[in-house]
Amino acid sequence: SDSNLCETAIFLKFGTTTLVLDMVEKGWGNRLPTLGPEAKYYEALQEFAKDSSLTATILVGGKPCTMPDIQQKCLDVAKDFCKIYGTNPEQELTLSRWTEIIELSQSPRPHEALRHHLDWAAKKYMVEQDLEKRGITLRNSPDTPVLRERRGKTREISLFGHLYDLDWNYHLLDPRGLWQKLDRQDFFERIADEEEISKAMFDPIPKTTRACARTEEIRYALAHAHELELRDGLNWTASAI
């Protein structure tokens, strides 16, 4: 399984981090919003993580800010930075998608607006749809019985257990995964098309990374398996022939 499956979420995770690191390297780090020297970062993250309405606030520079507010402050600095230092196509796409996600997060029901882009939003939307069919809401007791049918048999499970299974099954990488099923229905926004993905799998760029070197080594070993005697096989650090 994987925690992030939506392409938009994965792309923005790396794209925004790269932009922030670029800004820090150029001495722009002090222009980014900070919580102050006495801030409790862990508690702030917890506060945001449990708030799917995106209305929870923490103090930033002495003023209450929501998570979208903080993201907007970071985005504004990033745009100013890019006006001076320029952008490449990936950075332009990062700024565009970043802007779109912040705008959608202002919706009264942000998880519905963001469900095609971010995993947490897609999961909450999926859970609400599932429970609505059963006449249950998230306000019900965790012990509320839920009837589920699998392989022609009906069994009873607690609401907590049912939600746990939905959460787990969403992230499965095999075809049974709930994300995989939704993706086959074109539910999610795509950043890369299948041709780009296939090319990246067989013609990785850059070619100077350890991952690329391991890939080439494994390909060679598989292509010449009849000629080679792999004593200890291949692992992350070495191969024994």
Side-chain angles (χ1 to χ4, degrees), residues 76-89:
D76 291 341
V77 177
K79 287 182 175 179
D80 290 341
F81 175 83
C82 290
K83 286 178 182 177
I84 295 175
Y85 292 97
T87 58
N88 58 38

Side-chain angles (χ1 to χ4, degrees), residues 38-121:
E38 298 180 357
K40 297 180 179 179
Y41 289 91
Y42 181 72
E43 287 80 356
L45 286 173
Q46 283 188 317
E47 189 69 24
F48 286 138
K50 65 185 181 183
D51 173 45
S52 60
S53 69
L54 304 185
T55 58
T57 61
I58 62 171
L59 292 179
V60 178
K63 298 180 180 179
C65 291
T66 64
M67 176 53 77
D69 291 337
I70 297 173
Q71 288 289 321
Q72 185 64 58
K73 291 177 183 294
C74 293
L75 175 59
D76 291 341
V77 177
K79 287 182 175 179
D80 290 341
F81 175 83
C82 290
K83 286 178 182 177
I84 295 175
Y85 292 97
T87 58
N88 58 38
E90 289 78 14
Q91 289 171 328
E92 290 178 3
L93 185 57
T94 296
L95 293 175
S96 172
R97 287 293 189 274
W98 198 355
T99 301
E100 179 185 8
I101 293 301
I102 292 175
E103 290 174 350
L104 291 173
S105 70
Q106 308 297 328
S107 167
R109 291 177 61 82
H111 70 284
E112 291 186 356
L114 294 166
R115 67 185 185 273
H116 301 299
H117 310 280
L118 304 180
D119 294 285
W120 72 265

Side-chain angles (χ1 to χ4, degrees), residues 5-190:
L5 294 171
C6 289
E7 288 187 14
T8 305
I10 296 170
F11 178 79
L12 282 177
K13 177 171 66 174
F14 290 104
T16 56
T17 300
T18 300
L19 266 176
V20 169
L21 290 176
D22 288 343
M23 288 189 284
V24 171
E25 289 179 351
K26 294 290 187 180
W28 281 54
N30 59 353
R31 306 190 189 195
L32 295 166
T34 60
L35 304 188
E38 298 180 357
K40 297 180 179 179
Y41 289 91
Y42 181 72
E43 287 80 356
L45 286 173
Q46 283 188 317
E47 189 69 24
F48 286 138
K50 65 185 181 183
D51 173 45
S52 60
S53 69
L54 304 185
T55 58
T57 61
I58 62 171
L59 292 179
V60 178
K63 298 180 180 179
C65 291
T66 64
M67 176 53 77
D69 291 337
I70 297 173
Q71 288 289 321
Q72 185 64 58
K73 291 177 183 294
C74 293
L75 175 59
D76 291 341
V77 177
K79 287 182 175 179
D80 290 341
F81 175 83
C82 290
K83 286 178 182 177
I84 295 175
Y85 292 97
T87 58
N88 58 38
E90 289 78 14
Q91 289 171 328
E92 290 178 3
L93 185 57
T94 296
L95 293 175
S96 172
R97 287 293 189 274
W98 198 355
T99 301
E100 179 185 8
I101 293 301
I102 292 175
E103 290 174 350
L104 291 173
S105 70
Q106 308 297 328
S107 167
R109 291 177 61 82
H111 70 284
E112 291 186 356
L114 294 166
R115 67 185 185 273
H116 301 299
H117 310 280
L118 304 180
D119 294 285
W120 72 265
K123 280 198 296 185
K124 183 171 183 182
Y125 179 79
M126 175 191 69
V127 166
E128 286 185 345
Q129 295 295 303
D130 178 85
L131 296 185
E132 183 179 351
K133 295 176 182 178
R134 301 173 185 276
I136 303 174
T137 72
L138 291 171
R139 297 186 181 89
N140 283 72
S141 166
D143 297 325
T144 300
V146 175
L147 295 178
R148 294 200 314 198
E149 186 172 326
R150 285 187 179 178
R151 300 176 182 176
K153 295 182 179 180
T154 301
R155 70 186 185 97
E156 185 178 288
I157 188 173
S158 70
L159 175 59
F160 177 84
H162 179 60
L163 293 177
Y164 180 89
D165 285 350
L166 286 177
D167 182 52
W168 175 260
N169 288 325
Y170 174 90
H171 293 280
L172 288 178
L173 297 181
D174 65 38
R176 298 172 300 162
L178 296 179
W179 185 92
Q180 305 291 339
K181 292 179 180 178
L182 289 172
D183 186 50
R184 289 195 291 273
Q185 300 170 15
D186 296 323
F187 183 84
F188 298 106
E189 178 194 35
R190 301 297 296 269

